[in-house]
Amino acid sequence: MKREDSEQFDYIVVGAGSAGCVLADRLTEDGRSSVLVVEFGGSDRSVFIQMPGALSIPMNTRKYNWRYESEPEPHMDGRRFHIPRGKVLGGSSSINGLVYVRGNPHDFDRWEEEGASGWGYRNVLPYFRRAEGRRDGADAYRGGEGPLATRYGPTTNPLYDVFVEAGRQAGYGVTPDINGERQEGFGRFDMTVKDGVRWSAANAYLRPAMKRANLKVVAHALATQVLFDGRRAIGVRYARGGRDHLALARREVILSGGPINSPQLLKLSGIGPAQELRALDIPVVHDLPGVGENLQDHLEFYFQVASKQPITLYGQTGLFSRGLIGLQWLLRGRGHGATNHFETGGFIRSRAGVRYADIQYHFLPLAVSYDGVGMASEHGFQAHVGPLRSKSRGWVRLKSPNPRDYPRIQFNYMSHADDWTEMRACVRLTREIFAQSAFDPYRGREIRPGAEVVSDEAIDAFVRAHVESAYHPSGTCKMGAKDDSMAVVDSEARVFGIDGLRVVDSAIMPSVTSGNLNAPTIMIGEKTADAILGRPPLAASNAPYYQAPDWETAQR
């Protein structure tokens, strides 16, 4: 196909996920630049996507989920791990758990230390604020006017407050806002919900932008190759409707496919470790060894306790009750269908000498697995708990040069000794929290791990058998300094050695943030949009943030 036969745009964005939707909006809002968004998935208009309480359904539906699977994990009894990734407008923000956690301020200062110049907390906080439309209004840390709606859950179930009180009784702090000055401690969790509806990146950013004449969104389109003229990206080839299509970019091609798809497309296009590409007969455009490496994730398990009182959500899990919940949501946008049910949680440090919180809790007044399948047969409650900064690193590598073949994914979970130390702390510290007097009226037997799981050996065996991904893959196109041989993009997300090509999604995180990834991925989209448009960055913030004064000598 000749160039002149092809559609031309100023910018081409591959992937309508959390960051891609932000770019679609910000790059078209002045009305001057034309933008094409290429997305393999389709419409997000399903009631199961839009209803927050139904979150486990789209997460486990092939229509909306790429359903990647890891290679057998060598330190986890050879188990393969499910890796859900959104295959729908809104990407993973349309199938996630709707938890809005920015990460710890220290995370971003760490990014800067790792070579991501200009990405310290003082630099990123203004973009978190620009993105956010918080129902409770703005302050020095929170945004009140942005597209991404956030709010607290109603916390009508008494167990939410009991969990926070138990944390306080165990000697931890209570924080008024885990996304504000102080992450560490126990408190309420925000969710991306507006008027009872999932406020995905598609609802927040893409849908308003699609009303503009200068934005074109092509769904059910698989990007198969980035096209180059020498060392400059000039367009994208994509397959749709049984045909190949060509789109050319006057200014830039931007990959926002996420931490699996973005490195895969780079490699399919000839950018990546030369040895890997040559072994598959892919012509090497640029030897970039870091593409697909540095893969990170969060692991978690469900600490489940039986409830002596019938006040948990177990009473709402029957077919009739679920039907009523759906009806109430459809008619009024309220009730159990309008919340993700992760309404309180906490962040603690696993031991003295850890500078900032490295364990996260999501509390749920129900004993159930995240996929909605492993339902307990009784009233119970649970905390999702796991370490936040694993030292294990994995990779994403091509299985073949066929774009339709899923890549090979290996996390190397629990391959570092410190990860085992932290995971054992998760079991013991959580058991202590649930043992506090606040839970006395409710606490029955320990369902999982089980009271007999006490020794290091027993905990390790439990972890190998039962720990799950928290679904936060990241880091596979690392942002860093030019002299870092494993860095893939610079501090403006430009791919090293190539003109006119950027990666803008959670793949560019140098290290995974301490929390859920939707909020920081949207921030990445906001901040990079200014860089793409040549605008000066927003003025840095001078808002202070918390660090435990005795962190070197005390765990709490």
Side-chain angles (χ1 to χ4, degrees):
M1 192 182 289
K2 297 178 182 177
R3 274 201 202 184
E4 54 267 29
D5 296 333
S6 311
E7 285 193 284
Q8 286 202 0
F9 302 85
D10 292 312
Y11 301 100
I12 299 172
V13 178
V14 179
S18 296
C21 288
V22 176
L23 295 176
D25 181 27
R26 296 304 187 191
L27 298 182
T28 58
E29 63 186 346
D30 65 2
R32 293 197 292 267
S33 299
S34 60
V35 175
L36 171 68
V37 175
V38 179
E39 167 58 43
F40 187 50
S43 171
D44 63 335
R45 286 292 116 192
S46 164
V47 66
F48 297 117
I49 289 177
Q50 299 302 321
M51 186 197 305
L55 63 91
S56 70
I57 296 175
M59 187 182 291
N60 292 279
T61 302
R62 284 194 178 276
K63 181 178 179 181
Y64 307 120
N65 179 5
W66 284 89
R67 289 196 70 88
Y68 291 117
E69 192 175 61
S70 77
E71 299 288 292
E73 288 289 340
H75 303 275
M76 305 301 292
D77 291 343
R79 292 165 58 205
R80 291 180 181 268
F81 283 71
H82 175 211
I83 310 163
R85 295 280 87 201
K87 187 176 65 175
V88 59
L89 294 179
S92 295
S93 75
S94 290
I95 69 167
N96 69 0
L98 301 92
V99 180
Y100 180 81
V101 174
R102 294 175 173 182
N104 194 291
H106 285 93
D107 291 329
F108 305 102
D109 290 345
R110 177 187 177 190
W111 281 9
E112 205 159 41
E113 292 166 10
E114 292 168 333
S117 177
W119 288 79
Y121 183 64
R122 66 195 181 284
N123 309 116
V124 303
L125 178 56
Y127 288 98
F128 278 118
R129 295 185 72 246
R130 183 169 87 178
E132 186 182 16
R134 185 189 187 210
R135 198 175 80 155
D136 287 4
D139 59 24
Y141 301 89
R142 307 299 294 268
E145 305 296 326
L148 184 67
T150 67
R151 57 158 295 169
Y152 289 129
T155 59
T156 51
N157 190 295
L159 290 170
Y160 288 119
D161 291 332
V162 167
F163 183 69
V164 175
E165 174 59 16
R168 188 194 67 77
Q169 290 175 355
Y172 300 103
V174 173
T175 173
D177 185 2
I178 60 104
N179 288 307
E181 180 178 1
R182 175 172 173 162
Q183 185 194 54
E184 187 168 320
F186 287 73
R188 300 177 80 179
F189 269 19
D190 297 275
M191 56 184 177
T192 49
V193 172
K194 182 177 183 180
D195 299 329
V197 174
R198 173 193 289 271
W199 215 242
S200 64
N203 282 338
Y205 289 93
L206 186 63
R207 208 154 303 284
M210 286 172 74
K211 297 173 183 173
R212 301 174 188 143
N214 56 327
L215 174 64
K216 180 176 181 178
V217 178
V218 180
H220 305 294
L222 178 66
T224 57
Q225 188 182 17
V226 178
L227 304 171
F228 300 96
D229 183 357
R231 290 286 182 114
R232 179 170 187 84
I234 60 166
V236 170
R237 178 174 281 113
Y238 64 91
R240 185 174 190 262
R243 293 177 50 212
D244 274 356
H245 301 260
L246 202 62
L248 298 175
R250 298 184 193 92
R251 297 182 187 171
E252 295 191 24
V253 174
I254 304 156
L255 306 189
S256 296
I260 311 299
N261 299 68
S262 287
Q264 180 190 22
L265 186 56
L266 283 174
K267 290 180 179 186
L268 290 169
S269 307
I271 298 175
Q275 188 175 1
E276 179 186 349
L277 303 184
R278 289 190 184 114
L280 295 170
D281 294 324
I282 296 173
V284 178
V285 174
H286 182 49
D287 180 13
L288 204 53
V291 176
E293 302 300 305
N294 192 48
L295 175 62
Q296 298 165 56
D297 193 16
H298 292 141
L299 285 174
E300 65 181 13
F301 62 88
Y302 316 131
F303 199 111
Q304 299 177 330
V305 179
S307 177
K308 292 193 293 188
Q309 296 191 34
I311 60 168
T312 75
L313 295 175
Y314 178 68
Q316 307 296 320
T317 57
L319 204 58
F320 182 72
S321 295
R322 282 186 287 171
L324 288 179
I325 289 169
L327 188 63
Q328 184 182 23
W329 181 83
L330 284 167
L331 295 176
R332 305 184 67 193
R334 296 180 186 173
H336 288 304
T339 172
N340 63 352
H341 301 288
F342 295 115
E343 297 181 17
T344 59
F347 294 85
I348 66 173
R349 287 174 291 117
S350 61
R351 59 191 183 276
V354 174
R355 192 174 178 190
Y356 60 105
D358 62 340
I359 292 175
Q360 179 177 4
Y361 292 102
H362 300 76
F363 181 76
L364 188 65
L366 177 68
V368 64
S369 63
Y370 202 9
D371 61 11
V373 175
M375 185 77 69
S377 57
E378 62 190 299
H379 280 281
F381 44 87
Q382 69 188 34
H384 295 215
V385 55
L388 290 168
R389 291 188 297 283
S390 166
K391 294 185 174 70
S392 299
R393 296 291 181 272
W395 43 257
V396 175
R397 295 173 186 163
L398 295 182
K399 192 176 294 176
S400 83
N402 183 347
R404 295 188 180 276
D405 283 348
Y406 282 7
R408 297 166 58 223
I409 304 165
Q410 181 93 76
F411 287 97
N412 289 317
Y413 287 131
M414 306 301 288
S415 57
H416 195 287
D418 288 358
D419 295 351
W420 290 100
T421 301
E422 291 164 5
M423 199 62 84
R424 292 171 199 141
C426 286
V427 172
R428 290 171 176 141
L429 295 172
T430 308
R431 186 171 280 146
E432 182 188 26
I433 290 165
F434 279 130
Q436 299 302 311
S437 61
F439 273 112
D440 285 352
Y442 311 101
R443 185 194 323 105
R445 78 186 194 290
E446 185 179 304
I447 301 171
R448 179 180 283 187
E452 73 285 356
V453 179
V454 175
S455 67
D456 285 0
E457 294 75 17
I459 291 173
D460 292 354
F462 166 77
V463 167
R464 283 192 297 270
H466 295 291
V467 78
E468 300 288 346
S469 170
Y471 310 143
H472 300 155
S474 52
T476 50
C477 296
K478 176 186 175 185
M479 176 166 49
K482 194 172 185 178
D483 59 1
D484 180 350
S485 64
M486 296 306 287
V488 175
V489 302
D490 68 10
S491 294
E492 293 192 348
R494 296 173 294 204
V495 175
F496 283 117
I498 299 290
D499 293 327
L501 182 63
R502 299 188 205 232
V503 179
V504 183
D505 55 43
S506 68
I508 73 171
M509 294 181 174
S511 50
V512 66
T513 51
S514 302
N516 311 64
L517 294 197
N518 181 237
T521 303
I522 286 172
M523 177 277 292
I524 286 170
E526 286 276 12
K527 190 173 188 307
T528 313
D530 277 356
I532 293 167
L533 293 169
R535 294 173 177 164
L538 296 179
S541 169
N542 61 2
Y545 62 84
Y546 176 84
Q547 178 174 288
D550 54 354
W551 67 270
E552 291 173 291
T553 56
Q555 182 261 333
R556 68 190 91 170

